[in-house]
Amino acid sequence: MVIGEIVFKKFNIIENATGNLISLEKGNLPFPIKRVYYIYNVKENESRGFHAHRQLEQVLICVKGSCDVLVNNGHAKKVIKLDDPSTGLYLKGLVWREMHNFSSDAVLLVLASDFYSESDYIRDYSDFLDLVTNS
Ligand code: TYD
């Protein structure tokens, strides 16, 4: 198992007089996409996440509004504000993540390297720390 990797990415914007377009495809993403999901209508003061993944790779993009993503690889914690559809947060390996402070209009798009599998989740924080220590 790899130690968590956290990379802030800036996407290329295809811009013309009418507006902007961002295209994410094989070649400009770190993995082939197998699943896409999005989180929206998050109630005020509610937070999400509170888990890590064993193998899954993800890119998180706040395509509308904003939210704060707390990422923690077991050694360092960081809060990253996502408020720009031309930026994404790439997470790989053992990274505990929590999403806080969703704006009421926030739409958090997630690109994932694999299908949904509950067995890939680590939902207990002390299990996460044990895995980090033993990997
Ligand atoms: P979860 O990943 O815990 O959401 P968040 O990180 O935003 O708090 O998922 C919430 C619920 O949705 C959980 O019961 C699993 C289910 N789920 C799916 O069925 N398919 C999916 O692709 C995802 C991401 C979650």
Side-chain angles (χ1 to χ4, degrees):
M1 194 171 309
V2 287
I3 292 290
E5 196 179 323
I6 301 157
V7 183
F8 190 68
K9 290 195 165 293
K10 187 96 187 89
F11 306 129
N12 183 47
I13 305 174
I14 303 167
E15 205 170 342
N16 70 20
T18 66
N20 296 351
L21 183 153
I22 289 174
S23 170
L24 301 174
E25 59 182 350
K26 196 174 172 184
N28 61 14
L29 278 178
F31 53 81
I33 299 167
K34 278 201 185 163
R35 176 168 53 112
V36 173
Y37 63 90
Y38 37 98
I39 297 165
Y40 65 104
N41 269 354
V42 177
K43 296 189 178 68
E44 207 177 340
N45 299 320
E46 293 291 347
S47 296
R48 311 239 352 169
F50 300 93
H51 62 256
H53 285 282
R54 296 172 196 279
Q55 302 293 340
L56 190 71
E57 297 176 54
Q58 294 181 311
V59 173
L60 280 60
I61 306 163
C62 202
V63 290
K64 188 171 169 62
S66 64
C67 67
D68 292 333
V69 186
L70 180 149
V71 284
N72 171 4
N73 66 3
H75 302 285
K77 289 182 191 178
K78 183 149 67 162
V79 175
I80 296 167
K81 185 166 211 66
L82 293 181
D83 61 357
D84 176 354
S86 72
T87 62
L89 188 60
Y90 171 55
L91 304 180
K92 178 182 182 180
L94 286 174
V95 178
W96 185 263
R97 80 285 308 268
E98 300 174 11
M99 289 85 84
H100 302 286
N101 302 323
F102 284 85
S103 62
S104 58
D105 61 346
V107 181
L108 180 64
L109 178 72
V110 181
L111 313 177
S113 65
D114 212 341
F115 305 118
Y116 170 73
S117 164
E118 188 58 37
S119 62
D120 190 68
Y121 279 75
I122 303 152
R123 293 196 183 269
D124 184 279
Y125 188 65
S126 55
D127 289 349
F128 165 74
L129 290 179
D130 286 348
L131 279 167
V132 169
T133 306
N134 297 318
S135 31

